[in-house]
Amino acid sequence: MASHRKSRTPGTRVAGIRTPALATAALTSVALLSQTADAAPGDDRPSLEEVEKKVGDLYRQAESATEKYNAAKEKTTKQRKRVDTLLDDVAQRTQKLNEARAELGSYAAAQYRTGAGMPDTATFLLAETPQDVFDQRQVLDRMTGRQKAAVDDYVTQQTETMKKRQEATESLRTLTETQGDLKTAKATVQKKLADARELLSKLTAEEKARLAAIEKRKQEEAARKAAELARQQAAQEQAREEAAQQSGGTSESSGSGSTGSVDTPPADSSYAAKAEKALAFARAQIGKPYVWGATGPGSYDCSGLTQAAWKAAGVSLPRTTYDQVNAGTTVPVSQAQPGDLVFFYDDVTHVGIYIGNGMMIHAPKPGTYVREESIYYDGDSAIHSIVRPA
């Protein structure tokens, strides 16, 4: 980062003589030294701004991988339950098949002992494919009574067992693939976080202090923008109330610092009541650490926090930001109300819960804690959309 120290006025005196050319050259040297100070030691070392941007990018990439991990984990859990259900079903059907086989075998043994001329019942025990089953059904017309019923039951059990075994095999294959996706996403998260830690570890104490100063300035700018949004929303609320009074109606405010425009009324009271519960839960989590993939109660990632908060209000949200962004009605930033979800970045990899006055509660990134922060914490362009989930 270029130095913020003011350069001296051209025309510096050297040994009592005014030498503009020498002063200019000296100042140029100072500027160059100042610029390279951020990169020292080594000409190939990135500037502080480059490090700050790289670290931010790595954290966002880690969060993107976290959401992919969350999706794969959720899919794996569902797939594992399906596999378990299918395997239980296969076990039960296999038991019934064995019972049917035993009964059919008793008829085959009786035929063998008596030399009866009835079709060979034992051949039904050799069926291995659906075609075998179909072919063997043709002899059923020559059977009667309990023998026919036994064969029919055996064939039915065999067909259903084959079908369920195939389903279980396919589900196991899908589960294996999903577990592979889960493993890949986990490795990606860990790699991005390790890269970010490595970059930060190379900074000197002075550079870390300057990096903190950069972050502080960003936070101050974000707070200014949040305050401006709060003023705009307050003005909209006042205008709406005045319009309602002039028309003889009443105004329904849903909360401090968040309202719709004059043409768009705020969310109804039922939403406000649910949002209040969601926000009460979110506030109670402030100070708990961000842990990727976590859904509480001791730690959270961003979507884990919003899911848990709205669950406390009786509303079920999907697990990932990719799905949560579609779980409600999109509204303009100027009409955001407490409880709304604020999504960030083009790939929708971060989310917070709006609390009014341009502020939100969110689980920011690894190494941080659940906290209140301006929705402009990463600039205007970082905001993807505002979604009202209930």
Side-chain angles (χ1 to χ4, degrees):
M1 182 178 73
S3 173
H4 292 291
R5 292 177 297 174
K6 293 184 179 179
S7 59
R8 298 178 62 186
T9 305
T12 304
R13 293 181 181 274
V14 178
I17 303 174
R18 189 175 182 82
T19 55
L22 291 176
T24 301
L27 287 171
T28 301
S29 298
V30 170
L32 288 174
L33 288 172
S34 177
Q35 289 173 356
T36 56
D38 293 333
D43 294 337
D44 59 343
R45 186 175 180 181
S47 68
L48 200 57
E49 284 86 353
E50 290 172 335
V51 170
E52 193 264 347
K53 183 180 184 303
K54 182 63 175 177
V55 169
D57 288 343
L58 286 169
Y59 277 136
R60 282 191 288 275
Q61 291 167 17
E63 197 159 32
S64 176
T66 294
E67 291 305 312
K68 291 178 181 178
Y69 170 86
N70 291 338
K73 183 178 180 180
E74 185 176 44
K75 185 176 179 181
T76 298
T77 300
K78 291 180 179 178
Q79 198 64 35
R80 184 176 288 113
K81 288 180 179 178
R82 174 169 171 74
V83 168
D84 290 343
T85 299
L86 285 170
L87 290 177
D88 287 343
D89 195 359
V90 167
Q92 294 173 7
R93 290 185 181 280
T94 300
Q95 178 61 32
K96 292 180 179 179
L97 179 62
N98 289 336
E99 292 172 357
R101 179 184 285 114
E103 183 176 2
L104 197 57
S106 67
Y107 285 112
Q111 287 177 342
Y112 179 78
R113 288 194 302 270
T114 61
M118 295 297 289
D120 184 6
T121 308
T123 60
F124 282 90
L125 300 176
L126 303 177
E128 296 181 351
T129 68
Q131 184 60 46
D132 292 338
V133 173
F134 175 80
D135 293 341
Q136 291 167 0
R137 279 183 178 276
Q138 306 307 308
V139 302
L140 286 178
D141 291 340
R142 294 153 55 193
M143 295 183 178
T144 60
R146 294 181 60 187
Q147 185 181 21
K148 180 177 180 179
V151 169
D152 191 59
D153 180 51
Y154 177 78
V155 170
T156 298
Q157 294 298 337
Q158 186 184 54
T159 301
E160 289 300 316
T161 301
M162 288 178 181
K163 179 181 177 181
K164 291 300 179 181
R165 282 176 178 168
Q166 182 63 30
E167 289 182 19
T169 299
E170 289 298 316
S171 292
L172 281 169
R173 180 185 61 78
T174 302
L175 176 59
T176 300
E177 293 176 353
T178 306
Q179 288 174 327
D181 294 339
L182 185 66
K183 184 177 180 180
T184 298
K186 181 177 181 179
T188 301
V189 174
Q190 293 172 331
K191 178 64 167 58
K192 298 300 180 183
L193 295 180
D195 289 346
R197 286 193 295 269
E198 182 180 4
L199 275 174
L200 292 173
S201 69
K202 294 179 179 179
L203 296 179
T204 65
E206 180 184 356
E207 287 172 330
K208 289 179 180 178
R210 291 168 59 193
L211 195 61
I214 292 174
E215 181 62 26
K216 182 179 179 181
R217 287 196 295 273
K218 287 176 62 177
Q219 292 177 355
E220 289 172 349
E221 177 61 15
R224 184 191 66 76
K225 291 180 179 178
E228 178 59 28
L229 176 61
R231 285 192 292 271
Q232 292 175 1
Q233 292 178 330
Q236 290 174 352
E237 173 69 5
Q238 183 177 359
R240 192 177 66 81
E241 290 178 348
E242 291 175 353
Q245 290 173 359
Q246 291 175 1
S247 63
T250 58
S251 172
E252 297 180 1
S253 176
S254 65
S256 173
S258 64
T259 125
S261 65
V262 174
D263 296 326
T264 304
D268 58 33
S269 58
S270 64
Y271 176 79
K274 293 176 183 176
E276 185 177 353
K277 292 179 181 179
L279 288 173
F281 180 91
R283 288 192 178 94
Q285 311 316 307
I286 291 176
K288 293 184 178 180
Y290 175 104
V291 174
W292 66 273
T295 57
S299 57
Y300 297 89
D301 63 17
C302 65
S303 56
L305 175 64
T306 52
Q307 183 189 48
W310 270 102
K311 183 178 180 180
V315 176
S316 296
L317 291 181
R319 174 64 181 95
T320 68
T321 54
Y322 310 128
D323 292 325
Q324 288 183 10
V325 74
N326 296 315
T329 304
T330 302
V331 299
V333 174
S334 62
Q335 296 177 20
Q337 297 185 25
D340 292 351
L341 302 179
V342 189
F343 293 92
F344 296 87
Y345 312 117
D346 292 339
D347 54 358
V348 198
T349 52
H350 187 66
V351 62
I353 183 168
Y354 192 67
I355 61 177
N357 294 324
M359 302 293 288
M360 66 177 174
I361 295 174
H362 71 148
K365 60 185 178 182
T368 63
Y369 299 84
V370 176
R371 66 192 183 200
E372 291 187 10
E373 194 162 28
S374 167
I375 63 174
Y376 298 105
Y377 80 106
D378 206 18
D380 302 59
S381 61
I383 298 176
H384 177 275
S385 57
I386 308 290
V387 173
R388 191 157 296 152

